[in-house]
Amino acid sequence: DGGITQSPKYLFRKEGQNVTLSCEQNLNHDAMYWYRQDPGQGLRLIYYSQIVNDFQKGDIAEGYSVSREKKESFPLTVTSAQKNPTAFYLCASSGAGTRAYNEQFFGPGTRLTVL
Amino acid sequence: KQEVTQIPAALSVPEGENLVLNCSFTDSAIYNLQWFRQDPGKGLTSLLLIQSSQREQTSGRLNASLDKSSGRSTLYIAASQPGDSATYLCAVRRTGANSKLTFGKGITLSVRP
């Protein structure tokens, strides 16, 4: 099955901890994205990557970090500097070249809760 | 700055009704517009993608239209069913390099049996 997987589904973090959310895709897409979803606020872009070893900040990158060492993988680290990390995190990907501007596909999400 | 608005935030209709969900955007310089469905606690499922050069797209009981000049898109759902109950989001991608999706907050639809 082709698609996007995210793990874990639920994640609990203590104050001061860094946690890493996994995102893997087997769609052979060049571009990958991380969004955060909060009730009543819609989706906000955290980071995106259009090619391996390159990524750009989105609208709310503070307190987050990413890496893109492989085409299939785009992990997101939520650092202790992120003051309000409790949210639903969604990973997405889209196709190569000009198709990177076309349809985005999403993973099932990770719900992060700070204890 | 692009802003995407979806009104109302919630909608409840009886089963079988044809309905229209609205999406408006402030900057007409868009590359495409995408409609998504989201079930509670789940990721987004892409429903329809309309390129800026297109006027509408259809998939089964769904039809999405795009009017760039007025900054509007509609998602038409024919013969609604309880299984259509979900949140529907629209998102626009603006033209230009490194363009990103801007999302509306969504419309939560409830179809009553």
Side-chain angles (χ1 to χ4, degrees):
Chain A
D1 282 339
I4 304 171
T5 57
Q6 292 186 243
S7 62
K9 185 174 182 179
Y10 299 98
L11 186 57
F12 298 92
R13 192 193 91 168
K14 294 181 180 179
E15 295 278 353
Q17 276 186 336
N18 292 352
V19 291
T20 298
L21 284 60
S22 169
C23 178
E24 304 276 334
Q25 54 96 2
N26 61 4
L27 300 169
N28 199 34
H29 285 169
D30 280 333
M32 296 186 74
Y33 312 81
W34 274 106
Y35 294 90
R36 169 180 173 145
Q37 186 176 36
D38 297 278
Q41 289 209 42
L43 274 75
R44 293 181 290 171
L45 182 65
I46 305 172
Y47 268 98
Y48 64 104
S49 167
Q50 294 188 320
I51 197 169
V52 174
N53 292 322
D54 186 50
F55 48 83
Q56 288 79 39
K57 292 182 179 180
D59 300 318
I60 55 164
E62 185 175 353
Y64 299 98
S65 65
V66 294
S67 63
R68 187 84 188 278
E69 297 177 0
K70 298 188 300 182
K71 187 176 184 177
E72 302 80 17
S73 179
F74 191 40
L76 173 74
T77 296
V78 184
T79 74
S80 57
Q82 171 49 237
K83 298 307 178 187
N84 185 22
T86 295
F88 190 49
Y89 290 86
L90 289 159
C91 178
S93 70
S94 61
T98 57
R99 291 177 57 219
Y101 298 107
N102 285 347
E103 196 169 9
Q104 276 195 17
F105 298 91
F106 281 77
T110 293
R111 185 164 299 280
L112 173 63
T113 302
V114 175
L115 301 175
Chain B
K1 177 185 173 184
Q2 178 74 272
E3 292 184 1
V4 179
T5 302
Q6 294 184 256
I7 297 173
L11 187 62
S12 180
V13 300
E15 181 177 4
E17 189 164 301
N18 300 327
L19 58 102
V20 172
L21 306 181
N22 294 306
C23 171
S24 62
F25 46 94
T26 55
D27 186 350
S28 62
I30 66 168
Y31 188 84
N32 59 40
L33 182 146
Q34 199 167 349
W35 280 94
F36 296 90
R37 168 185 172 137
Q38 186 176 30
D39 293 290
K42 306 291 186 182
L44 276 64
T45 299
S46 180
L47 297 175
L48 289 164
L49 172 75
I50 309 178
Q51 300 291 0
S52 61
S53 58
Q54 298 175 320
R55 296 284 293 183
E56 64 179 68
Q57 282 285 334
T58 298
S59 176
R61 294 182 296 109
L62 305 179
N63 176 278
S65 67
L66 175 64
D67 184 344
K68 273 180 38 177
S69 61
S70 66
R72 292 181 183 178
S73 176
T74 61
L75 179 67
Y76 174 82
I77 303 177
S80 58
Q81 304 169 358
D84 294 329
S85 298
T87 297
Y88 291 82
L89 300 100
C90 72
V92 298
R93 186 187 296 279
R94 60 181 171 87
T95 55
N98 297 326
S99 59
K100 300 168 285 186
L101 281 178
T102 301
F103 283 82
K105 295 182 179 180
I107 298 173
T108 299
L109 172 66
S110 174
V111 181
R112 307 186 301 271

